[in-house]
Amino acid sequence: MENKTITPTLLLSIVATGLLSFSGVVIETAMNITFPHLMKVFGASLSSIQWLTTSYLLVLSIMMPLSAYFKQRFETKKLFVIAASFFLGGLLVDALAPNLPILIMGRVLQGVGTGISLPMMFNIILEQAPRHQQGLLIGVGNFITATAPAIGPTFGGMLVDSSLGWRSIFWVIIPVVAIALIIGVVSIQQYSEIKYIKLDITGWLNLSLLFSFLILALTQLGQQTRWVLIFGCLALIFLVLTIFWYKKVDSPIIKLSLFKNSWFSGHLIAFMLCQFEVMGLAFLLPNLVQILLGKTSFVAGLTMLPGAVLGAVLAPIGGNLLDKYGAVKPILAGISLETIGVIIFLSVFQNSSVIMLAGVYMIFTLGQGISVPNVLTSGLSKMDLKDKADGNAMFNTLQQFAGAAGTSIISIIIATDHTSRQLYGFNHGLVTLTIGLLIDLGVLVTVFAVNKVRT
């Protein structure tokens, strides 16, 4: 009989780890707005400036597979202090950076901090919360992190255009991380026993290089085909090496056997598609506002703000719906609303206004709020507790890859249109997102049908 309860310390530990992840996403989305300005400041090309994002994603792809090992091997509170310290160090480095390489180094340090802290929040919930309330708490965690994309673009655009300048982006976040560190030190408790297990270094390196080369291939899409092919071939080589190695060892860093579970693997595919859609539209919409409507980056950020806030607020509500009514209804209803929102975008974007686009985006984020966090919760719900850390690691790792893919692929589709307003590019991008959502619905319906889940 389960005797777990939601305690104030559990809620505070979720807030602490969530704030650290929130800070990482805020800076990532805020920095995207600053790229044109930083190109002038450092006299650098766009491809060089993009390493601020690429380096961050690469470090996340390296750190995420370690989360299950970290959870078993080290105390949660110590890990959190290390993560927050890396993040604070990265913020200070970036706030004082005299040149672009140092600025990139700060982003690398922040990536280490986020890579440790992001899976930690979900592991705490899965381990310490009552099963019948995990959906609600994962929704609370997602609420904290999901407000970041709402704030980031507006926050970054406002500071860059002000007398404070781009460095203030990092100075403003430092108190947030410091508060998270204090809360975490006070509230995070050790629930499971520490095991002195050996790290599968070869397996980790293979997996890290696989995801790293995949991300590098994505960042080169539409730019240098030669490097796309080179990085793609290297990723394929390390995929083969990873599979070969994981069949050979007894205790791999990530259990690939989890993919034999159709419930888990189906939800993982659906979650990746969800993240592709969310990040793809998050790239398309502000560019549409700036290119098609001729508005500023600040206005583009404001266009997304109401919808992003709505999606964040609904995340705990969506989790509560899952706890009360099961996974099927909120997940399928949410993905359906996302699909309707993108179809409306496709129908009206050529003759739209900022207010209209903001309203339609709210339909999309309404669906996002009640579905996306629940896909993760549902995907991990039928796993043994000992396997949930590995499953969570895979969800978080592939989430980063899917998000990078959504941004890269949609940007390439838009860029194929060389006209001034890029109407056809935006049209084809929205068609791609619509097809992706329909596939997502098909995957989830199939998973529920195969596992005979009706409610």
Side-chain angles (χ1 to χ4, degrees):
M1 185 74 177
E2 186 179 51
N3 57 2
K4 300 174 183 177
T5 58
I6 296 179
T7 63
T9 54
L10 173 57
L11 291 174
L12 286 173
S13 64
I14 294 171
V15 170
T17 51
L19 280 175
L20 207 54
S21 301
F22 162 88
S23 300
V25 179
V26 162
I27 292 177
E28 182 181 359
T29 52
M31 290 303 290
N32 289 339
I33 294 291
T34 69
F35 281 4
H37 179 74
L38 292 177
M39 289 169 65
K40 297 177 183 177
V41 170
F42 294 111
S45 65
L46 178 59
S47 59
S48 297
I49 294 294
Q50 283 178 329
W51 273 98
L52 291 168
T53 297
T54 302
S55 62
Y56 181 77
L57 290 173
L58 285 174
V59 174
L60 283 180
S61 70
I62 292 170
M63 296 302 298
M64 290 292 189
L66 290 170
S67 62
Y69 169 78
F70 284 159
K71 180 183 179 299
Q72 296 179 71
R73 180 65 180 80
F74 302 104
E75 291 182 14
T76 306
K77 185 178 292 187
K78 288 182 179 178
L79 273 178
F80 180 76
V81 170
I82 291 171
S85 299
F86 267 104
F87 204 98
L88 279 171
L91 290 173
L92 285 170
V93 168
D94 279 349
L96 301 170
N99 53 49
L100 182 58
I102 299 299
L103 191 63
I104 293 172
M105 179 56 64
R107 294 292 288 142
V108 168
L109 294 174
Q110 292 161 38
V112 173
T114 306
I116 296 173
S117 65
L118 182 58
M120 189 184 300
M121 177 176 66
F122 296 111
N123 282 332
I124 287 172
I125 294 170
L126 293 170
E127 185 178 58
Q128 300 182 25
R131 182 183 292 270
H132 68 281
Q133 292 179 307
Q134 287 180 0
L136 172 63
L137 291 181
I138 287 179
V140 171
N142 273 280
F143 164 73
I144 298 170
T145 55
T147 54
I151 295 170
T154 309
F155 170 71
M158 180 178 64
L159 291 178
V160 168
D161 293 338
S162 73
S163 59
L164 296 174
W166 62 270
R167 294 180 190 275
S168 59
I169 292 172
F170 304 104
W171 289 118
V172 170
I173 296 297
I174 287 175
V176 177
V177 178
I179 291 170
L181 177 58
I182 294 169
I183 295 173
V185 169
V186 171
S187 64
I188 293 176
Q189 298 179 344
Q190 189 62 32
Y191 193 87
S192 57
E193 184 181 350
I194 302 301
K195 299 177 182 178
Y196 293 93
I197 58 177
K198 183 180 179 181
L199 174 62
D200 176 21
I201 296 177
T202 303
W204 170 58
L205 288 174
N206 285 337
L207 197 61
S208 298
L209 288 168
L210 164 61
F211 286 121
S212 295
F213 285 127
L214 280 173
I215 287 174
L216 287 170
L218 286 170
T219 60
Q220 294 298 314
L221 283 174
Q223 299 181 40
Q224 301 185 48
T225 305
R226 177 185 63 177
W227 284 110
V228 173
L229 293 174
I230 291 172
F231 289 137
C233 289
L234 287 170
L236 182 61
I237 290 170
F238 280 99
L239 173 62
V240 174
L241 289 174
T242 298
I243 294 172
F244 174 78
W245 178 258
Y246 278 45
K247 287 182 177 180
K248 181 180 177 181
V249 295
D250 295 327
S251 301
I253 192 167
I254 292 290
K255 297 177 183 177
L256 294 185
S257 59
L258 296 178
F259 289 102
K260 295 179 181 179
N261 183 328
S262 64
W263 180 265
F264 169 79
S265 56
H267 277 77
L268 185 60
I269 292 169
F271 190 70
M272 290 177 65
L273 286 168
C274 286
Q275 191 66 16
F276 178 96
E277 299 294 326
V278 169
M279 297 307 294
L281 188 59
F283 175 85
L284 184 146
L285 180 55
N287 279 278
L288 190 151
V289 172
Q290 293 175 79
I291 295 170
L292 192 62
L293 302 185
K295 305 298 182 180
T296 65
S297 59
F298 180 63
V299 172
L302 286 176
T303 305
M304 300 181 68
L305 185 60
V309 170
L310 176 65
V313 169
L314 285 173
I317 297 173
N320 194 39
L321 290 174
L322 179 142
D323 292 333
K324 286 185 176 181
Y325 304 110
V328 178
K329 291 178 181 178
I331 289 177
L332 295 185
I335 302 294
S336 298
L337 280 170
E338 288 183 79
T339 307
I340 291 169
V342 173
I343 290 173
I344 296 174
F345 266 126
L346 190 58
S347 304
V348 305
F349 82 93
Q350 295 188 37
N351 300 293
S352 58
S353 64
V354 168
I355 294 176
M356 182 184 295
L357 291 175
V360 178
Y361 187 57
M362 290 177 72
I363 297 174
F364 177 88
T365 57
L366 172 62
Q368 175 190 334
I370 63 175
S371 63
V372 177
N374 286 335
V375 175
L376 185 149
T377 308
S378 178
L380 297 175
S381 64
K382 295 191 176 184
M383 301 176 69
D384 293 334
L385 183 60
K386 62 183 177 65
D387 292 330
K388 284 188 176 183
D390 290 283
N392 183 40
M394 291 306 300
F395 267 96
N396 282 281
T397 302
L398 292 175
Q399 178 184 25
Q400 306 306 318
F401 169 71
T407 302
S408 298
I409 291 172
I410 295 301
S411 68
I412 291 165
I413 291 171
I414 295 172
T416 57
D417 183 355
H418 300 292
T419 61
S420 60
R421 302 181 72 205
Q422 296 184 304
L423 280 173
Y424 291 108
F426 288 120
N427 182 79
H428 294 156
L430 288 166
V431 168
T432 301
L433 292 173
T434 303
I435 293 171
L437 282 164
L438 291 173
I439 294 173
D440 200 5
L441 267 175
V443 169
L444 287 165
V445 168
T446 302
V447 169
F448 292 139
V450 167
N451 289 273
K452 299 179 180 178
V453 179
R454 297 181 181 179
T455 59

